[in-house]
Amino acid sequence: MSERIKDWRIKNWVFDASKPFDLTGKAIIVTGAGSGIGRAITLGIDAMGGNVVLADIVEEGMDEVAKELKNDYLTLKVDVTSEADVKNMVEQTLSTFDKIDGCFNAPAINFRLPFLELSADQWTKVWNVNIGGVCLCAREVGKVMVKQKYGSMVNIASFRGLVGAKEGRQSIYSASKGAVVILTKCLAAEWGEFNVRVNAIAPGMTKTPLVTQILKDDDWYNELASMHVLNRFAEPEEMVGAAIFLVSDASTFITGTTLLVDGGLTAV
């Protein structure tokens, strides 16, 4: 009988089964850490014992989040569309923590206009942040993870990257998030041999600064909320469970996956 199958009993767990979501001692980068989903993820990592590198283009938001952290952290002003900023982020992380265990690529922008009304400048800006920024961060962080032969990268996609937008005004944002979904699969395939996992989270409509325009319009909000089985938008902290799961040892055999956290929107 093969040595691989002669005994199905678990003799040595690949993680501590009593605390699979523990992040104690891990160094994790969160871009877009100053607000929205990035802020919630930052606080969640800290709550699970992790050390966070907060990266955001807006320093004020990061400083407010940092006041709530209990563990070691580093704050960096980072424009994810700047190659120099992203490289400095990686260098400063290594200088402070000597490793990168995880990375969340969270920033995004949107112009909610019908496609025929979008300017080339507007869709270029969306593309540069939503996919260009993810590519820059993934490449520079990926170099470190591949070299150290471990790491978990999580990209923030969207349900918009998986389905069309019947109500309009989402075309270029949806296209950029669809690109994040397929990039996630490709990087998982490229880096799997180096024990580097790459996954994505696809939130449903979530109460972040990105949807302020919608939150101010009751009819628009109700229309979009009704698309979800739970008939509401998510709170940012409702993305934290998925985030902790994907960056922790609880998901060591998961890579190339986009995890929908969408309140049942894509279930119907």
Side-chain angles (χ1 to χ4, degrees), residues 21 41 44 201 236-248 259 261:
F21 305 106
I41 289 173
I201 295 171
E237 58 267 29
E238 291 182 291
M239 301 301 134
V240 173
I244 298 301
F245 171 62
L246 290 175
V247 81
S248 72
L259 178 56
V261 188

Side-chain angles (χ1 to χ4, degrees), residues 3 6-15:
E3 289 293 318
K6 72 175 184 178
D7 188 349
W8 290 108
R9 292 174 296 178
I10 300 175
K11 294 180 178 179
N12 297 298
W13 286 79
V14 296
F15 55 83

Side-chain angles (χ1 to χ4, degrees), residues 10-170:
I10 300 175
K11 294 180 178 179
N12 297 298
W13 286 79
V14 296
F15 55 83
D16 186 339
S18 68
K19 45 184 179 179
F21 305 106
D22 183 35
L23 300 177
T24 301
K26 292 185 182 293
I28 301 170
I29 297 172
V30 181
T31 60
S35 65
I37 293 173
R39 175 184 182 277
I41 289 173
T42 297
L43 295 173
I45 293 169
D46 181 73
M48 298 306 294
N51 303 318
V52 189
V53 177
L54 297 82
D56 205 306
I57 198 169
V58 180
E59 291 179 284
E60 183 180 354
M62 283 192 298
D63 292 340
E64 289 301 311
V65 177
K67 292 176 183 178
E68 301 183 49
L69 302 180
K70 300 173 184 177
N71 303 309
D72 292 339
Y73 67 87
L74 175 68
T75 60
L76 297 169
K77 183 176 181 179
V78 177
D79 176 354
V80 296
T81 68
S82 164
E83 191 167 4
D85 276 12
V86 173
K87 287 184 175 181
N88 180 64
M89 175 184 74
V90 171
E91 290 170 1
Q92 292 299 317
T93 300
L94 292 175
S95 177
T96 303
F97 295 111
D98 201 36
K99 61 177 180 174
I100 303 176
D101 295 286
C103 177
F104 287 88
N105 297 316
I109 62 171
N110 192 11
F111 293 100
R112 289 186 172 82
L113 293 169
F115 185 72
L116 297 180
E117 297 178 17
L118 279 169
S119 69
D121 181 62
Q122 286 172 324
W123 70 53
T124 298
K125 285 180 179 177
V126 171
W127 203 257
N128 284 347
V129 173
N130 295 12
I131 185 62
V134 172
C135 286
L136 276 176
C137 293
R139 186 188 67 187
E140 295 308 312
V141 173
K143 289 176 182 177
V144 175
M145 290 183 171
V146 165
K147 183 178 180 180
Q148 67 190 17
K149 289 187 168 52
Y150 67 86
S152 176
M153 184 174 294
V154 183
N155 300 319
I156 304 302
S158 169
F159 78 95
R160 294 287 187 194
L162 298 167
V163 298
K166 187 173 106 173
E167 75 278 8
R169 294 183 283 184
Q170 300 290 345

